[in-house]
Amino acid sequence: MQRNVWIGILCSQGIILGVVEQMFPALIAVLPGAKIGLTNVITLMALFTLPFSDCILLTFLRLILTSLITGGAATFIYSFAGAFLSLFMMKLASKMSPRVFSILGVSMIGGITHNFGQILVAYWISGAKSVLLYLPFLALSGLLAGLLVGLGGKVLLSHLNDSEFIKDHQISFER
């Protein structure tokens, strides 16, 4: 029961962050679509607190509900590819954490692979190889965004066990 509540809380936070982030223009004018990826903070929290099957469910629900709210089918396709590729790659990296990758490294891998997934969809839809020229710029922005998201995730996870909700419901997390 408590795990379902936690999934609901993370899902609602992810939807809110996704909707809010879509309201803002790209951070860098020459990189259309480049965003910080605030919802990845939620993905990081899920990866470090839930079984992976719940992370998959959370990501899917968040994508579907955010797309229904914002009305973007094309956005859903790009978001789906980026979110799931980054989720699986972050899971692989987190398995090596903290020996090889810290939470910052896991997040940076997520930022890069999220953009890579979106570029693959753009290439698949357009068939234009020139789209792939955009990848180095998106990789750099994904690396920087992943660093920012990782810092936020690290702070949130470090304070998570101190929250009253966690203490009151005696929730134990998978580490």
Side-chain angles (χ1 to χ4, degrees):
M1 176 67 170
Q2 290 95 354
R3 194 171 82 203
N4 291 339
V5 170
W6 182 240
I7 292 169
I9 289 169
L10 290 177
C11 189
S12 62
Q13 290 172 340
I15 292 166
I16 291 166
L17 288 172
V19 169
V20 167
E21 189 167 35
Q22 285 186 17
M23 292 179 188
F24 294 102
L27 294 176
I28 305 168
V30 295
L31 291 176
K35 306 272 185 167
I36 292 176
L38 295 174
T39 57
N40 287 333
V41 170
I42 303 303
T43 303
L44 273 178
M45 291 180 67
L47 273 173
F48 286 93
T49 62
L50 292 168
F52 190 59
S53 59
D54 289 342
C55 295
I56 293 170
L57 174 65
L58 171 67
T59 301
F60 184 73
L61 289 173
R62 180 183 56 76
L63 288 171
I64 291 287
L65 294 171
T66 304
S67 294
L68 287 172
I69 291 168
T70 60
T75 303
F76 172 77
I77 295 168
Y78 286 99
S79 296
F80 185 89
F84 277 99
L85 181 59
S86 68
L87 176 65
F88 285 102
M89 294 306 292
M90 286 191 298
K91 179 60 177 175
L92 286 174
S94 71
K95 286 286 191 189
M96 296 181 253
S97 178
R99 292 185 328 264
V100 178
F101 295 108
S102 68
I103 190 170
L104 297 178
V106 170
S107 181
M108 290 163 66
I109 286 170
I112 293 169
T113 56
H114 189 280
N115 289 343
F116 184 71
Q118 291 182 325
I119 285 290
L120 287 177
V121 168
Y123 175 69
W124 176 66
I125 289 173
S126 71
K129 290 181 182 178
S130 60
V131 171
L132 300 175
L133 296 172
Y134 197 43
L135 190 57
F137 302 105
L138 283 180
L140 180 60
S141 74
L143 190 67
L144 295 173
L147 178 62
L148 292 173
V149 165
L151 288 169
K154 184 176 181 176
V155 168
L156 289 172
L157 282 169
S158 71
H159 294 292
L160 192 59
N161 286 327
D162 295 333
S163 84
E164 291 302 315
F165 176 81
I166 302 304
K167 287 179 184 176
D168 290 347
H169 293 89
Q170 299 174 342
I171 298 173
S172 60
F173 294 120
E174 176 185 282
R175 288 283 174 188

